[in-house]
Amino acid sequence: MIETPYLLFLGDAPDNLAVKVAQGIRDWRPENVVGQLRLPGCKADVGVPDMRLEAAREAGAKTLVIGVANRGGMISEAWKAELVAALEMGYDLASGLHNLLRDEPDLAAAATANGGQMFDVRVPQMRYPIGNGVKRTGKRCLAVGTDCSVGKMYTALAMDKEMRARGMKSTFRATGQTGILVTGSGVPLDAVIADFMAGSVEILTPDNDEDHWDHIEGQGSLFHASYSGVTMALIHGGQPDALVLSHEPTRTHMRGLPDYGLPSLEALRDTALPLARVVNPKAEIVGVSVNTAAMGEDEALSYLEGVETRMGLPSVDPFRQGAARLVDALDGI
């Protein structure tokens, strides 16, 4: 088990989008966070106290969590001195990057010399089967996005929180490094061999009570040239009964792809639903989740009203407004 509380390492991240791991932990498990550690040049801030290693250790921090999700998932050489110093000071390290902590000789040596543990949460913990498409009992909801990092995980967590508050049967199913660090378990889907991705989602969302909902953490986008494969695995392995469309309206292009604009919500609807119905003919789109973090209150409300009128679906920012209307839309599914 990864020991808490955490000190969140933001490194030299260029913006808040690059520290979505740290932001997710801070938003959904604030009780597990002591502070953040930023290197010179860091332009990200998740709104917790800036602390150096020594002060955070004195405040009780047990694990330094790399909160950065950079393109390619690489450990920067510029971070190494701080990471080694943390291990020498008695911290454990946790990371969700593709570049594994254990594969860095200097980090491995420091961990061994100081008795520290290193947790690579993006390493699958079991062998997964090939997906078989067999229908499972229980209900499943999946958020699909117009792009990466538009709020799919937040949508699932918010819906799970709302259902639990109502006394309904619900489980958040993590499929990425942030979700796993938030909840403590899940499948690091983008690190699973392609042939077994759908099968891993089937294992993650097993047979359950007929009135139980799994809220599956979404990944990537069907329209993203780099990451569409992981989205397809979620759709076909998850066999969702309900889909929520997720969007961030201030983007000018797809994340990491400056030559690609974002698709419309209508295009997402018309693409995702037929694919979901390949494995679940009864799948329905129940609502729209909009990440309005970059908008003022009046602008956000106006935008949401316009989307709802246009799409004919309840449209909310579930982190800003709560997920009650999205949960209401599951009634009868």
Side-chain angles (χ1 to χ4, degrees), residues 137-282:
T137 56
K139 300 290 187 181
R140 289 157 194 87
C141 181
L142 173 68
V144 291
T146 54
D147 193 10
C148 305
S149 305
V150 293
K152 300 180 293 292
M153 182 189 74
Y154 276 54
T155 300
L157 282 164
M159 293 181 74
D160 174 59
K161 180 180 179 181
E162 175 67 21
M163 292 188 81
R164 287 172 175 269
R166 297 184 186 190
M168 302 171 71
K169 299 175 184 177
S170 176
T171 305
F172 170 74
R173 302 294 189 180
T175 63
Q177 73 270 33
T178 308
I180 293 171
L181 285 165
V182 167
T183 63
S185 64
V187 170
L189 188 59
D190 60 8
V192 176
I193 294 172
D195 277 358
F196 306 101
M197 287 196 297
S200 72
V201 181
E202 291 180 354
I203 295 295
L204 182 68
T205 58
D207 285 311
N208 219 313
D209 295 341
E210 293 293 347
D211 58 347
H212 178 280
W213 280 92
D214 276 339
H215 294 280
I216 306 170
E217 180 185 2
Q219 299 289 341
S221 170
L222 290 169
F223 293 86
H224 200 290
S226 305
Y227 306 122
S228 56
V230 71
T231 314
M232 279 293 296
L234 284 165
I235 291 173
H236 285 169
Q239 296 182 345
D241 300 277
L243 294 170
V244 176
L245 308 180
S246 295
H247 183 56
E248 206 282 33
T250 67
R251 298 273 176 91
T252 57
H253 59 78
M254 301 202 81
R255 189 182 183 199
L257 300 176
D259 295 330
Y260 287 80
L262 269 67
S264 66
L265 284 164
E266 289 87 349
L268 177 60
R269 174 196 65 200
D270 295 343
T271 301
L273 187 58
L275 291 172
R277 285 179 172 172
V278 169
V279 291
N280 186 350
K282 295 182 179 180

Side-chain angles (χ1 to χ4, degrees), residues 117-139:
Q117 297 189 77
M118 298 196 298
F119 298 92
D120 288 300
V121 301
R122 222 167 189 156
V123 176
Q125 299 301 306
M126 62 176 287
R127 293 173 64 91
Y128 297 109
I130 294 174
N132 58 29
V134 174
K135 179 64 177 172
R136 305 183 298 286
T137 56
K139 300 290 187 181

Side-chain angles (χ1 to χ4, degrees), residues 79-93:
W79 304 346
K80 287 291 191 66
E82 208 75 27
L83 301 183
V84 169
L87 289 164
E88 291 175 343
M89 204 175 294
Y91 280 89
D92 292 335
L93 292 185

